[in-house]
């Protein structure tokens, strides 16, 4: 149910050679439902080849506040995910964060006219 309090954002990155997902996708995508006000990731998924991998990354990113920055989330990926897609996951997360920052910047620059 859409309540105007969350947004859907996607971040993309190129996959390395030799990945199972590479035969299906050229890029890795992380998608997230994000609380607009606090920037908290409520749900996240990605295009890793296995359900287990997608769920793992989703759980890892859930609760991350994009307003507080993504350094902790990057550290968690580096610490707990040991696969070929580590750099692609980090790059996709940085791309997602960039889209969020642009959206917040655009929101601030809009002049409200009554």
């Amino acid at each position: 149910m859409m309540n105007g309090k969350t947004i859907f954002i996607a971040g993309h990155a190129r996959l390395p050679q030799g990945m199972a997902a590479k035969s299906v996708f050229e890029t890795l995508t992380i998608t997230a439902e994000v609380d607009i006000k606090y920037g908290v990731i409520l749900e996240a998924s990605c295009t890793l080849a296995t359900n287990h991998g997608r769920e793992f990354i989703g759980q890892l990113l859930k609760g991350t506040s994009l307003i507080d920055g993504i350094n902790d989330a990057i550290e968690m990926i580096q610490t707990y995910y040991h696969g070929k897609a580590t750099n692609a996951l980090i790059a996709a997360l940085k791309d997602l964060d960039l889209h969020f920052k642009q959206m917040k910047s655009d929101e601030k620059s809009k002049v409200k006219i009554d």
Side-chain angles (χ1 to χ4, degrees):
M1 183 172 110
M2 302 310 299
N3 59 11
K5 296 181 191 289
T6 63
I7 54 171
F8 183 88
I9 306 177
H12 308 277
R14 292 189 64 76
L15 279 169
Q17 293 295 328
M19 292 240 9
K22 179 98 173 157
S23 61
V24 182
F25 306 104
E26 283 295 310
T27 59
L28 181 128
T29 301
I30 294 178
T31 58
E33 182 181 0
V34 180
D35 175 272
I36 295 172
K37 186 173 182 180
Y38 300 106
V40 175
I41 296 176
L42 304 173
E43 292 288 332
S45 187
C46 65
T47 55
L48 288 174
T50 64
N51 279 337
H52 194 194
R54 292 189 293 271
E55 289 169 10
F56 185 83
I57 295 301
Q59 287 301 309
L60 208 62
L61 297 178
K62 192 173 186 175
T64 297
S65 172
L66 299 175
I67 290 173
D68 292 343
I70 59 169
N71 288 340
D72 287 348
I74 289 170
E75 271 186 40
M76 286 193 301
I77 290 169
Q78 290 170 331
T79 302
Y80 301 112
Y81 175 86
H82 296 279
K84 289 182 179 178
T86 301
N87 290 338
L89 285 165
I90 292 167
L93 181 60
K94 287 179 178 178
D95 188 50
L96 184 142
D97 185 51
L98 180 67
H99 289 299
F100 179 76
K101 284 183 168 80
Q102 287 173 337
M103 185 271 314
K104 290 302 270 184
S105 174
D106 290 348
E107 194 177 85
K108 285 180 185 170
S109 67
K110 287 181 184 165
V111 178
K112 300 206 186 319
I113 302 169
D114 294 316

